[in-house]
Amino acid sequence: MRIGVLGAAGIVPSALVKPARGNAEVEVAAIAARDPRRAAEFAAKHGIPKVHTTYDELLADPSLDAVYNPTPNGLHGRWTLAALEAGKHVLCEKPFTANADEATTVARAAAASGLVVMEAFHYRYHPFALRMEEILASGELGTVLHVETAMSFPLPSFSDIRYSLPLAGGAMMDAGCYTVHMARVLAASTPTVVSASAKLRSPGVDRAMTASLRFPTGATGRVRCSLWSSDVIRIAARVTCTRGELRAINPLSPQFWHRLSVRGPGGRRVERFTHRPSYDYQLDAFANAVLRDGPVSTPPEDAIETMTVVDGIYRAAGLEPRVPTP
């Protein structure tokens, strides 16, 4: 699978370039960026053989099978649609689109195209996430009563695009979409939003967000995220059940230090997992889907559900859902 990259974003080396070096079925074959000089420098540094001067030129390259889309949030939908129109499979960074309406539009285009479109929630493909899902589905801990997920880290560079309202930025979009997605996975359903509270960096742009949720089963939930708050670093999940509890530390990037603690009828145990990067598992899954019609755990239909909750959290906090960048 020959893949082209739309932009020289900071996430590209860890999310694609390094994993591709360990995957004999994938070649990062081309890149384009808004600044052609930056694209050329990036290509030289990371061994990417071809540089295109524009995104459209890259999409028109017949030698490419797929596209990795790490553009700013507000541009995800536009360039995923353009890639599909060009006949390319797409690995799109999260959040999938600016809002749920745009996710629905992209999902329809993806279904009509017959191409693989995967949202890049890389943690979802790691054995850590698969094991949490397996434990909860097994019935070992009984019925899920309450789910809490959190992702907080400091981003003091306030000129960063993740704080840009025109580019669909905000803590809920960047970190919060992970907490919403993981809460959905752990509860095996999509919640409604009960309430939400935001701390603002600038008008309309959240630097931190907390929301209360309710799932169709009656279980409750709470998600927390921040890019700048007193909750400096927290990446965790906790699921309270009728017969026990599951606690996870750093389930989103388990290639670093992590811990899964399970307390059930048989006592308490701790499980640990491989330090192979979650991005490697994600690229394996994407290649398998493209080359062999393998399963996708984060398809466009799943993204609609996540973005519906994200939109609901913004509204409950008195803010407007994000809009696509013109």
Side-chain angles (χ1 to χ4, degrees):
M1 179 180 69
R2 290 171 55 83
I3 189 166
V5 185
L6 297 177
I11 196 173
V12 177
S14 58
L16 181 65
V17 174
K18 292 178 183 177
R21 289 175 184 155
N23 189 318
E25 296 185 323
V26 179
E27 178 188 0
V28 183
I31 187 170
R34 288 169 292 175
D35 180 351
R37 184 176 65 178
R38 185 181 179 199
E41 292 172 350
F42 190 96
K45 180 177 180 179
H46 296 287
I48 301 174
K50 186 182 293 187
V51 177
H52 288 291
T53 57
T54 67
Y55 290 175
D56 287 321
E57 184 181 290
L58 182 145
L59 294 179
D61 185 340
S63 72
L64 299 177
D65 306 298
V67 165
Y68 173 53
N69 180 2
T71 58
N73 299 340
L75 296 172
H76 284 175
R78 176 199 297 184
W79 289 108
T80 295
L81 288 171
L84 290 172
E85 188 174 348
K88 313 297 187 191
H89 304 281
V90 183
L91 176 60
C92 179
E93 265 308 323
K94 49 75 212 129
F96 190 61
T97 52
N99 56 47
D101 286 344
E102 190 181 29
T104 301
T105 298
V106 176
R108 288 172 179 164
S113 72
L115 296 162
V116 173
V117 179
M118 176 188 288
E119 185 175 17
F121 277 119
H122 54 99
Y123 87 92
R124 187 70 178 85
Y125 297 92
H126 194 278
F128 193 123
L130 300 178
R131 179 59 177 152
M132 287 194 295
E133 188 177 23
E134 179 183 54
I135 291 169
L136 294 170
S138 72
E140 173 191 350
L141 301 181
T143 302
V144 172
L145 299 175
H146 182 73
V147 176
E148 292 188 11
T149 56
M151 185 175 189
S152 300
F153 59 89
L155 184 65
S157 178
F158 299 122
S159 61
D160 192 283
I161 62 171
R162 285 171 280 187
Y163 289 113
S164 170
L165 186 59
L167 293 175
M172 176 50 56
M173 293 293 283
D174 189 69
C177 66
Y178 276 109
T179 67
V180 168
H181 191 271
M182 179 166 282
R184 290 184 53 239
V185 169
L186 296 175
S189 60
T190 297
T192 55
V193 180
V194 176
S195 63
S197 176
K199 295 179 180 179
L200 301 185
R201 168 58 196 166
S202 58
V205 178
D206 50 311
R207 60 180 175 85
M209 184 79 78
T210 302
S212 295
L213 311 172
R214 183 169 295 278
F215 294 90
T217 59
T220 57
R222 180 179 172 87
V223 296
R224 292 181 292 170
C225 65
S226 76
L227 301 179
W228 189 250
S229 73
S230 57
D231 195 18
V232 181
I233 298 178
R234 184 190 300 270
I235 302 175
R238 179 169 68 94
V239 184
T240 303
C241 303
T242 54
R243 301 176 63 198
E245 184 178 76
L246 179 154
R247 288 178 177 261
I249 297 175
N250 198 19
L252 297 175
S253 297
Q255 58 265 35
F256 305 112
W257 191 86
H258 64 263
R259 182 186 180 104
L260 176 61
S261 175
V262 181
R263 178 179 56 79
R268 181 178 176 275
R269 69 179 185 274
V270 172
E271 299 186 16
R272 297 189 185 278
F273 302 87
T274 173
H275 286 280
R276 184 176 187 240
S278 48
Y279 290 117
D280 290 18
Y281 287 100
Q282 175 178 261
L283 187 60
D284 289 351
F286 184 55
N288 187 45
V290 170
L291 299 174
R292 288 176 290 276
D293 198 28
V296 172
S297 298
T298 54
E301 296 78 15
D302 184 68
I304 296 172
E305 299 291 314
T306 298
M307 293 313 301
T308 297
V309 179
V310 169
D311 289 356
I313 290 173
Y314 273 121
R315 292 190 180 102
L319 301 173
E320 291 297 321
R322 311 296 88 164
V323 297
T325 302

